[in-house]
Amino acid sequence: MNKRVLVKFSGEALAGEEGYGIDTQILDYIADEIKNLVDNGIEVGIVIGGGNIIRGVTAAADGVIKRTSADYMGMLATVINGVAMQEALEYKGLNARLQTAIKMEQIAEPFIVRKAIRHFEKNRVVIFSAGTGNPYFTTDTAATLRATEINASMLIKATKVDGIYDKDPMKYDDAVKLDTISYDRALEDHIKVMDDTAIALAKDNKLPIVVANMSEKGNLLKIINGDISKCSIVK
């Protein structure tokens, strides 16, 4: 199997108990998990949301800030998280490159898919930031797009739960875990895995979406090596 994967983290995942900003202890933990993958010969791309800093939809909610501008603000937030992630990976001794869909040469390379693939071939981790570079698209959609462009074997959405449930397991004790779910069911039932645009894009490109708990040490490597007991797959 192709050993290139893309891992999607929410911005909120970096925030820790405070609910905003960047908790460097969590950043350090994530960097360890990524290092574990790289040390086992896996090529890793990363997309991180920006919700720990600002969410475009929220910023535009009362109409003071236009949605397009709010979404660009959200994209810039993902670049901040990308810079932090690059630093954490380099702190662990990994080679990492930050690419951005909005040009800002002093901070990151522009996104060029051939260059990204060359980085993978040289054993570098590539962080894709600034979403798709367009308003109205989420970082979930950006993650699916980048995973497709780099020909990743799977897209792993690292969350706070161990898979997909028929209802919120944090609220309902009788929530049932769904080990495997089709793209069509995810779209029809509006399963809150990723937004519909991301799922539809994954379906068109036959890209499996794996939903897994990021806080269980070593889980990402187990999943890539075929242990799917602690995750759910949309395919």
Side-chain angles (χ1 to χ4, degrees):
M1 188 179 85
N2 171 9
K3 288 284 188 176
R4 182 180 299 155
V5 301
L6 191 137
V7 187
K8 162 68 166 61
F9 297 96
S10 69
E12 289 90 342
L14 303 186
E17 296 301 317
E18 296 295 324
Y20 61 87
I22 297 170
D23 183 327
T24 52
Q25 295 304 306
I26 292 177
L27 204 61
D28 188 68
Y29 166 78
I30 291 173
D32 269 335
E33 290 296 283
I34 299 301
K35 185 176 189 301
N36 191 28
L37 300 185
V38 174
D39 288 348
N40 281 275
I42 294 158
E43 298 172 357
V44 185
I46 299 173
V47 168
I48 312 172
N52 56 320
I53 299 168
I54 192 167
R55 297 178 68 85
V57 172
T58 307
D62 65 2
V64 175
I65 300 172
K66 291 196 299 291
R67 174 65 190 273
T68 50
S69 295
D71 280 356
Y72 279 117
M73 291 162 69
M75 288 179 229
L76 295 176
T78 72
V79 179
I80 293 172
N81 286 338
V83 171
M85 181 57 69
Q86 180 176 238
E87 289 291 319
L89 293 170
E90 289 177 346
Y91 180 74
K92 297 292 179 183
L94 296 174
N95 291 313
R97 294 292 184 272
L98 177 62
Q99 292 197 343
T100 176
I102 299 171
K103 285 186 179 179
M104 45 185 87
E105 290 87 347
Q106 290 87 343
I107 296 168
E109 301 174 357
F111 169 69
I112 300 171
V113 69
R114 289 177 183 272
K115 197 164 187 177
I117 289 169
R118 189 75 180 121
H119 288 320
F120 292 132
E121 291 168 350
K122 291 185 175 182
N123 209 34
R124 296 168 183 153
V125 178
V126 185
I127 305 154
F128 302 106
S129 64
T132 66
N134 300 289
Y136 298 103
F137 291 95
T138 65
T139 47
D140 279 349
T141 299
T144 310
L145 178 62
R146 295 292 178 250
T148 302
E149 288 175 302
I150 64 172
N151 193 31
S153 61
M154 67 177 74
L155 166 58
I156 301 175
K157 181 161 184 181
T159 68
K160 295 179 180 179
V161 291
D162 63 348
I164 302 166
Y165 287 77
D166 62 347
K167 49 190 165 184
D168 190 342
M170 302 291 187
K171 295 178 181 175
Y172 302 98
D173 291 337
D174 62 342
V176 177
K177 183 168 174 276
L178 308 169
D179 293 329
T180 306
I181 183 171
S182 69
Y183 299 115
D184 288 335
R185 181 177 173 190
L187 288 167
E188 286 164 12
D189 294 354
H190 299 290
I191 299 286
K192 299 297 181 186
V193 184
M194 288 185 149
D195 63 83
D196 288 355
T197 307
I199 295 170
L201 183 60
K203 178 188 175 184
D204 286 347
N205 292 281
K206 298 180 174 62
L207 173 71
I209 301 170
V210 178
V211 179
N213 188 345
M214 64 169 259
S215 56
E216 183 168 332
K217 199 164 182 63
N219 201 24
L220 296 180
L221 181 62
K222 288 177 187 173
I223 289 164
I224 293 165
N225 286 335
D227 181 356
I228 57 170
S229 61
K230 293 185 178 178
C231 68
S232 296
I233 303 175
V234 181
K235 64 180 182 177

